[in-house]
Amino acid sequence: MKPPAPILDVRDLRVTFSGRGGRINALRGMSLQIQPGEVVGLVGESGSGKSVLGLTALGLLAAASDPQVTGSVQLDGFEMVGASPEGARQRRGTAIGAVFQDPMGSLNPVMKIGRQVAESAGGASDEEVAAMLEATGIRGPAAVARCFPHELSGGMRQRVMIAMALARHPKLIIADEPTTALDVTVQAKVLDLLATTARERGVALLLVTHDLGVAARICDRIAVAYAGRIVEQGTTEEILDGPRHPYALGLLASRPRLDGAVRGGLLPTLPGSAPDPTSSVVGCAFASRCPAADGACLTPVPEAHEDGRLVACHHPGELTTWPDRAAQVIKAAVAESAADGLAARKAGDPRTPAVVATGLVREFDGRRSGMLGRRGPALRAVGGIDLTVPAGGSVAIVGESGSGKSTLLRMIVGLLEPTEGTVRLAPGPSPQMVFQDAGASLTPWMSVGEHLAERLAAVGMPKREHAAAIDRALHAVGLPVDAAARRPAQLSGGQRQRAAIARAIVVPPPLIACDEPVSALDVSLAAQVLNLLCDLRQQLGLALLFVTHDLAAARAVADEVVVMQGGLVIERAPTDQLFTAPSHDYTRELIAAVPEAVAA
Amino acid sequence: MTRLFLNRALAMVAVLFGLAVAVFVLQVVIPTDPARAMVGSNAPEEVVAQARADLGYDQPIPAQFAAYLGRITRGDLQHSLHTHNPVSDDLGRFAPATIELGFYAALIAGALGLGLGLLLVGGGLVGRVARVVLVGWAAVPAFLTGMLLIVVFYSWLHVLPGSGRVDDDLLLPDGPTGLLTVDALLTGQFALLGNLISHLVLPAVTLALLPAVAIARTLHASLEQVMGEDYIRTARSKGLRERTVLLRHALRNAAGPTLTMAGLLVGLMLGGVVVVEQIFSWPGLGLYVTQSIAYSDFPAITGTTLALGAAYVVINFWVDVAQAVADPRLRSA
Ligand SMILES: Nc1ncnc2c1ncn2[C@@H]1O[C@H](COP(=O)(O)OP(=O)(O)OP(=O)(O)O)[C@@H](O)[C@H]1O
Ligand code: SF4
Ligand SMILES: [Mg+2]
């Protein structure tokens, strides 16, 4: 029997953009088919072209970057490459729905939810809108429909996006990092919602993610992208049981794992970086990073099908464990200084603690109901918390969204006035903050260099020394030196995050406070950033205070973990103890909710 | 929203007070002697002293300030030295002409600015030509534009009148508002209405041009920025027409900066009105204040300054409110 025609059929798709140093090769011959009703994960590190594939299928590549597209993208039999804007628009309206990463920015802030959903359906009554919202697990859908986006939590907004994507009964949904910006407990629910609704309605789903764990949770099939091509494709079991492409293996190995196998400061990372997108690639694009590379790898790689499983590699399956030599070497070096640091801490670091907070309480005014309505009761976001971060120590605060983590952090660094309680900081430069949404924390019209120079000037460093200090900071966070001249919009998401960290450490403060610093990054970048934070901590004697919903990240970085719920600390313990013997049900629940690709 | 409203209202009162202080200080530091200005430069010294005492200018400064504050809060702006009427009566007489002119100019500026801003976003040849023309226009001062319009439409083409509010041989409507177009409409005098509008066109357009250009450029800039936002991508992914995306999703989000700009432009227009009324012999506050300056008519000048300043502050208060209406995020702040 002939298989049904694929709903999305991408063949040898090549996309280039105009860039400063020549044209950027975003996709270098990508091919991918999705059958009706199939749930497929597209996984790969930052810059591998995942989002560009989705946007090409939607016909929404940024015109300002002068995209040039060759190859073919058939959406339900309709050729999107070279389609007229009007033709592409009509297809978008009927065949395809989209869910994007950032639920905060993806909804129109000045339009009520109900109207945005109704519009997506091409017109719908209030009852129909409520039904659509309810189908995505939103409680009180009629009330939610009357809200503006900023009145909803991130998880709710993403449910709204899903309702909108489903509104026109499309045959395919493209979800680009739909849960990256969400809290871990919400993440799992939203993923399951996407998968079950897609399956119930027979809608195909392309899940774009950098997290193999996320893909593994819901996908039938996983395609691994590298440098604009698919390098391996197979069923989820096949990929997880034993990737046959070295890159896929590396990707699997660099996932922070809950079992803490890689604790001690360093996660294995894929050494090196993807080929410069402006250059053309001879042979295998992964060759410079591949432990199994040999002379044959400099010849073009076939898209070989092996037992129906695609592995674009000259030596498929040869590598079975990721050696991660580079990481081993660094690890040994750092272990020594870490041991010193640890000994010092055990003996009681003579320095004053980076932070001593006592009895912190923060209340927010209750909301008014309507124009003249009565003010609701005050919301107690943080209900009396003591917290000490020793000099050079590392404390992670975990908990679901709304538990008060960020409020606590913001009080500690002085961004928010506590209602009650005191914060005592170590002398020296004021603590620096690294936010999740680095794009928003950088000023759009200032270059990265200017951001760093601003802090240097603030501590009175003479101008002529700025360039060297900026180079050092950029180097420390793994950004190219020419990044100094670029503005935030000219960097990728991962690069912006590193720029934000560079700004925080260009003048080393006694404390760096991070609010979800890696939740918007792909695994290998996240690993690099976590390693970077650990390194900086060792080298500069910084203390880290770390708010995260990613327990694996917390385990990799923190000495002590504080679990918050409803504005209160419900459990706190040294990291190992918390993970091996959690004493509170809620902690166990959090640990269980982590999507785990790797059978420990 | 109520909270925001009250906050802004409080701020408005504070600014109005500041304005009153500023005007008072100006009066004190200006080297001209208002008492002498009142009685004339040839009057004997005793008469000047008497006038000074009558006006309260012999009192210590704080006492003068208290008296001044008391007066202006009662709406007493003293008597004009030139017309000998209470300044408040004069303002009442001249203000409607200015309000009418300002209102139509603001309407034109808003509509023109909106249209041009959207045209610029559309890009294409028309947009690019419009852009060049706009940049050129922005450099031309209002009095030149006004003269040019008079030369073209009055002297050459004879299609529009070049001065006054109405033809001299027409009887003015004796309506309730003093805004002649409104009164003419209310009393059903349509021929008169046509005549009034023909007189309004040139001065209103002159007054509106600069603000229109500024609004268009601000709107264009913020629309460009908004069109790159994620929610615009979402709107496009729904398969909406580009025009719907622009008008329904982008425009309201771009309104904030444009409204702020519009508020600032009110100041520009109040300055412009003085010049434009001169050029078109428009019998409004601008003409009144220029004449008062010629006579060193201090009470009139102060009164007009206070009135125009207050208008600026009050209009900006409503601009703030409009912003909150456009952006729900401001409302909960
Ligand atoms: N509008 C654009 N203009 C110029 N270059 C772009 C544009 N969009 C993407 N690129 C480039 O195309 C390549 C692929 O980008 P893409 O956004 O698809 O990566 P991704 O796999 O989605 O990464 P991430 O996980 O960081 O989202 C990158 O080199 C990126 O810099
Ligand atoms: S082709 Fe060679 S370099 Fe490329 S992944 Fe396979 S073994 Fe490594
Ligand atoms: Mg992406």
Side-chain angles (χ1 to χ4, degrees):
Chain A
M1 203 178 77
K2 239 181 97 199
I7 184 75
L8 182 71
D9 191 351
V10 180
R11 299 212 180 248
D12 196 30
L13 186 64
R14 292 166 195 272
V15 176
T16 65
F17 295 105
S18 69
R20 290 189 173 192
R23 300 219 36 111
I24 295 166
N25 297 289
L27 296 184
R28 306 174 188 250
M30 188 171 272
S31 299
L32 180 68
Q33 283 78 41
I34 300 179
Q35 305 302 325
E38 206 183 7
V39 178
V40 176
L42 180 59
V43 183
E45 65 187 358
S46 185
S48 55
K50 309 178 298 286
S51 298
V52 171
L53 174 69
L55 291 175
T56 313
L58 283 161
L60 285 178
L61 289 173
S65 303
D66 180 30
Q68 290 187 1
V69 185
T70 63
S72 156
V73 179
Q74 299 236 337
L75 180 59
D76 196 18
F78 179 86
E79 179 59 59
M80 293 294 282
V81 176
S84 70
E86 181 57 20
R89 182 185 73 73
Q90 284 177 6
R91 264 312 123 134
R92 275 203 293 280
T94 54
I96 194 167
V99 179
F100 298 108
Q101 171 173 350
D102 175 16
M104 194 69 210
S106 294
L107 290 167
N108 185 341
V110 303
M111 197 186 271
K112 291 202 171 136
I113 298 294
R115 211 171 144 218
Q116 301 195 44
V117 175
E119 180 187 53
S120 197
S125 69
D126 288 356
E127 290 73 37
E128 286 165 337
V129 166
M132 286 182 229
L133 289 173
E134 192 154 31
T136 61
I138 288 177
R139 270 164 294 179
V144 168
R146 285 191 299 273
C147 288
F148 287 101
H150 72 272
E151 297 171 307
L152 304 184
S153 71
M156 294 256 273
R157 275 186 292 233
Q158 209 57 311
R159 285 171 199 271
V160 172
M161 281 297 290
I162 293 171
M164 288 188 354
L166 288 165
R168 280 211 197 175
H169 310 292
K171 298 182 179 155
L172 171 68
I173 290 183
I174 295 185
D176 193 343
E177 309 276 8
T179 58
T180 320
L182 303 179
D183 197 277
V184 75
T185 43
V186 184
Q187 227 177 51
K189 286 180 194 142
V190 170
L191 274 178
D192 293 344
L193 168 72
L194 257 175
T196 47
T197 40
R199 292 213 163 87
E200 272 167 17
R201 304 186 188 195
V203 180
L205 174 66
L206 176 63
L207 177 73
V208 172
T209 174
H210 57 249
D211 191 339
L212 257 176
V214 163
R217 188 176 178 111
I218 63 167
C219 294
D220 307 325
R221 205 147 60 80
I222 291 178
V224 180
Y226 184 75
R229 287 185 94 192
I230 303 294
V231 294
E232 177 160 6
Q233 212 181 106
T235 63
T236 302
E237 290 73 34
E238 284 170 345
I239 299 286
L240 291 187
D241 285 352
R244 300 181 60 79
H245 191 284
Y247 172 68
L249 190 68
L251 203 59
L252 203 58
S254 62
R255 235 191 140 249
R257 288 164 55 167
L258 250 195
D259 60 18
V262 289
R263 242 200 109 224
L266 284 176
L267 300 163
T269 56
L270 300 179
S273 56
D276 179 358
T278 56
S279 65
S280 53
V281 172
V282 186
C284 176
F286 192 55
S288 65
R289 305 166 76 180
C290 181
D294 63 13
C297 302
L298 296 176
T299 59
V301 187
E303 280 196 8
H305 284 265
E306 256 196 23
D307 314 327
R309 178 168 165 192
L310 183 151
V311 185
C313 174
H314 286 295
H315 310 295
E318 231 164 66
L319 204 64
T320 49
T321 53
W322 186 260
D324 202 13
R325 286 165 298 209
Q328 297 301 336
V329 176
I330 307 171
K331 205 169 179 172
V334 176
E336 241 171 85
S337 62
D340 294 350
L342 217 60
R345 214 166 305 128
K346 286 227 174 79
D349 195 316
R351 294 182 289 167
T352 43
V355 168
V356 181
T358 30
L360 284 186
V361 172
R362 173 70 203 199
E363 291 178 347
F364 290 105
D365 286 349
R367 302 187 51 92
R368 275 181 204 282
S369 48
M371 274 271 278
L372 298 167
R374 183 178 293 214
R375 189 174 288 288
L379 178 79
R380 208 169 160 92
V382 171
I385 287 186
D386 301 331
L387 187 75
T388 302
V389 183
S394 173
V395 175
I397 306 172
V398 302
E400 64 188 353
S401 69
S403 59
K405 315 185 288 287
S406 295
T407 308
L408 176 62
L409 194 70
R410 292 164 68 85
M411 284 194 285
I412 287 174
V413 298
L415 287 176
L416 198 67
E417 198 63 33
T419 309
E420 279 167 38
T422 57
V423 175
R424 212 148 34 75
L425 294 166
S430 54
Q432 290 298 305
M433 225 17 221
V434 174
F435 296 95
Q436 169 183 355
D437 188 357
S441 75
L442 299 172
T443 311
W445 56 83
M446 276 169 63
S447 72
V448 170
E450 284 163 354
H451 276 101
L452 301 195
E454 202 175 48
R455 287 214 56 227
L456 294 173
V459 295
M461 176 183 279
K463 255 221 160 73
R464 67 197 133 75
E465 292 168 28
H466 283 191
I470 290 171
D471 281 359
R472 250 196 324 275
L474 292 180
H475 184 75
V477 300
L479 280 175
V481 178
D482 76 340
R486 290 198 232 160
R487 276 179 288 146
Q490 293 165 323
L491 300 173
S492 82
Q495 289 174 324
R496 276 201 288 264
Q497 188 67 347
R498 281 181 281 173
I501 295 176
R503 175 175 61 176
I505 55 120
V506 69
V507 179
L511 175 74
I512 291 195
C514 308
D515 197 347
E516 304 282 8
V518 296
S519 62
L521 302 182
D522 73 50
V523 237
S524 79
L525 264 188
Q528 282 174 25
V529 168
L530 293 179
N531 287 348
L532 174 65
L533 289 171
C534 290
D535 273 357
L536 294 169
R537 179 185 161 202
Q538 311 281 8
Q539 289 166 15
L540 307 173
L542 309 176
L544 290 179
L545 181 59
F546 204 79
V547 160
T548 181
H549 62 243
D550 183 347
L551 275 87
R555 176 153 211 183
V557 171
D559 303 333
E560 189 191 13
V561 177
V562 174
V563 182
M564 277 182 76
Q565 188 186 28
L568 295 171
V569 171
I570 57 165
E571 179 164 6
R572 82 172 86 194
T575 306
D576 283 330
Q577 186 188 327
L578 187 108
F579 281 92
T580 48
S583 67
H584 200 283
D585 278 348
Y586 178 69
T587 311
R588 277 188 282 273
E589 202 180 299
L590 277 180
I591 293 174
V594 176
E596 185 80 5
V598 191
Chain B
M1 185 79 194
T2 330
R3 175 123 141 248
L4 177 116
F5 197 87
L6 291 178
N7 276 340
R8 290 288 188 278
L10 223 75
M12 174 170 71
V13 171
V15 174
L16 283 173
F17 180 76
L19 175 72
V21 173
V23 167
F24 179 77
V25 170
L26 270 180
Q27 256 176 320
V28 172
V29 298
I30 280 180
T32 325
D33 182 348
R36 180 163 289 285
M38 186 171 99
V39 294
S41 47
N42 297 328
E45 204 49 49
E46 315 87 70
V47 179
V48 178
Q50 181 58 46
R52 189 170 290 133
D54 288 349
L55 292 170
Y57 288 137
D58 55 348
Q59 303 284 317
I61 299 282
Q64 279 188 41
F65 182 65
Y68 158 86
L69 265 191
R71 271 204 325 272
I72 62 171
T73 43
R74 283 195 311 274
D76 173 3
L77 300 172
Q78 294 182 310
H79 280 66
S80 159
L81 306 183
H82 167 54
T83 66
H84 303 291
N85 299 322
V87 170
S88 47
D89 289 3
D90 280 351
L91 291 182
R93 214 145 46 81
F94 286 97
T98 299
I99 293 174
E100 193 160 39
L101 176 59
F103 173 75
Y104 288 104
L107 219 60
I108 295 174
L112 207 60
L114 185 69
L116 288 172
L118 290 174
L119 194 69
L120 287 178
V121 175
L125 189 66
V126 190
R128 260 173 289 158
V129 171
R131 193 192 187 114
V132 173
V133 174
L134 288 190
V135 174
W137 241 344
V140 181
F143 71 87
L144 263 183
T145 319
M147 306 279 214
L148 201 77
L149 290 178
I150 292 181
V151 168
V152 174
F153 291 95
Y154 174 66
S155 311
W156 288 359
L157 301 176
H158 304 291
V159 288
L160 288 170
S163 73
R165 285 179 91 182
V166 69
D167 283 354
D168 293 339
D169 52 352
L170 287 178
L171 220 56
L172 288 184
D174 198 16
T177 63
L179 304 173
L180 297 186
T181 49
V182 178
D183 292 343
L185 197 66
L186 289 179
T187 52
Q189 306 177 60
F190 296 109
L192 176 65
L193 183 64
N195 190 274
L196 288 167
I197 289 178
S198 71
H199 277 84
L200 264 167
V201 173
L202 293 185
V205 167
T206 307
L207 191 54
L209 278 183
L210 282 189
V213 173
I215 288 177
R217 299 182 77 180
T218 314
L219 181 63
H220 175 217
S222 47
L223 275 175
E224 292 269 277
Q225 192 231 323
V226 166
M227 288 303 272
E229 297 284 344
D230 283 355
Y231 52 82
I232 297 297
R233 186 180 59 190
T234 305
R236 286 184 172 138
S237 78
K238 294 175 179 176
L240 298 178
R241 277 171 219 287
E242 199 56 22
R243 167 209 284 272
T244 314
V245 172
L246 182 66
L247 296 182
R248 195 186 290 166
H249 288 270
L251 194 55
R252 191 158 159 200
N253 279 291
T258 315
L259 281 172
T260 308
M261 179 46 108
L264 295 173
L265 288 172
V266 171
L268 183 75
M269 286 180 82
L270 289 176
V273 101
V274 177
V275 177
V276 170
E277 289 189 0
Q278 283 292 306
I279 303 173
F280 291 93
S281 314
W282 190 265
L285 289 179
L287 217 55
Y288 176 64
V289 80
T290 4
Q291 282 171 11
S292 310
I293 291 170
Y295 287 98
S296 299
D297 187 346
F298 267 93
I301 298 171
T302 350
T304 318
T305 312
L306 278 173
L308 291 181
Y312 178 76
V313 175
V314 171
I315 291 172
N316 270 282
F317 165 73
W318 287 107
V319 168
D320 279 353
V321 172
Q323 251 169 346
V325 170
D327 190 340
R329 285 165 300 184
L330 292 178
R331 268 176 254 166
S332 46

